[in-house]
Structures are given as structure tokens and as C-alpha cells.
Amino acid sequence: QVQVVESGGGSVQAGGSLSLSCEVSGRTFSRNVMGWFRQAPGKEREFVAAIKWNAGSTRYADSVKGRFTISGDNAKNTVHLQLNSPSPEDAAVYYCATGRPGLYSITYHPTSESEYEYWGQGTQVTVSS
């Protein structure tokens, strides 16, 4: 069983910064991809960013590219999401998830919910202006 736990959510001012963390434990063999999603009130859950453990390659949604940064620490089985210059539109519950086992191209990063298997409980981010 794989356990996923997010932390670091809270309130941040627009234009500030906030760092989220995601620790994964359990059997993660062949689960090479980690991703972040978010869901704002009244909206569908959407893809934010993804990273591959072995290659360190990343993929970002257009809405956050250039502002958010995803990174991983393999030794600690922890993935981070750095939110830089967030706006009120970035306020949401942020979820971390593990990709489903599979053989992906080195350049392919899953972006849909169905391509992820284990999910954390979510951590809420609010943005004030």
C-alpha cells in the first residue's frame, strides 16, 4: 500500500511564495511519476505539474508555467511544489498523487486523473490580495 501525505498549505499574499511538500511511503516500485493537481471551489480538478523520479524531467500546466516549480528529493521520497507569485485564481485544494505503473517515454508526463493511482488528502492554499 502506498501512502501519500501533503503538507505546507496555508494562506499566502498575492505575489508572495509558498512551498508545498508531498511525502510518499510504501511500495512504489515502477511508480516513476509524481504529480500535483488542484481543485478550486466550483471547478473541476485540474493538472498542475508532474515530475519523474529517475530523470527529473517536469511538465507544467500553461496556467502555472514560469511561476510554479516542482522538484523531487529521491532520498527522502518527497516532492515539492513551489508557488511563486500566486494570484487569487491559484487558490485551491492542492493534491499530490503517484502515477500508475507503466513504461512511459522519457518525455511523457501523465496529465489526467485516470493516469494516477494513489492520492493524498489534499492541502488547502488561500491567496489574499
Side-chain angles (χ1 to χ4, degrees):
Q1 189 74 20
V2 176
Q3 304 293 324
V4 182
V5 180
E6 306 99 331
S7 62
S11 179
V12 61
Q13 291 189 0
S17 64
L18 187 69
S19 181
L20 308 179
S21 297
C22 171
E23 184 177 359
V24 59
S25 61
R27 197 174 190 276
T28 60
F29 183 75
S30 296
R31 295 180 173 88
N32 186 46
V33 179
M34 296 292 298
W36 284 95
F37 290 75
R38 68 185 183 185
Q39 186 169 21
K43 295 185 178 180
E44 299 292 325
R45 189 173 299 184
E46 64 177 355
F47 170 78
V48 177
I51 187 171
K52 291 188 175 183
W53 289 108
N54 54 2
S57 58
T58 59
R59 168 77 182 270
Y60 296 93
D62 290 341
S63 59
V64 305
K65 191 173 184 178
R67 298 186 298 117
F68 293 6
T69 302
I70 187 171
S71 61
D73 187 334
N74 290 352
K76 297 181 179 180
N77 286 332
T78 301
V79 174
H80 303 280
L81 184 68
Q82 181 74 31
L83 286 63
N84 296 320
S85 300
S87 67
E89 289 71 32
D90 295 313
V93 176
Y94 283 72
Y95 297 90
C96 181
T98 65
R100 294 186 181 276
L103 296 177
Y104 297 134
S105 166
I106 192 68
T107 61
Y108 180 79
H109 300 78
T111 59
S112 64
E113 292 184 55
S114 63
E115 294 176 296
Y116 290 81
E117 186 173 13
Y118 294 99
W119 295 75
Q121 80 287 351
T123 184
Q124 186 156 14
V125 174
T126 59
V127 182
S128 62
S129 60

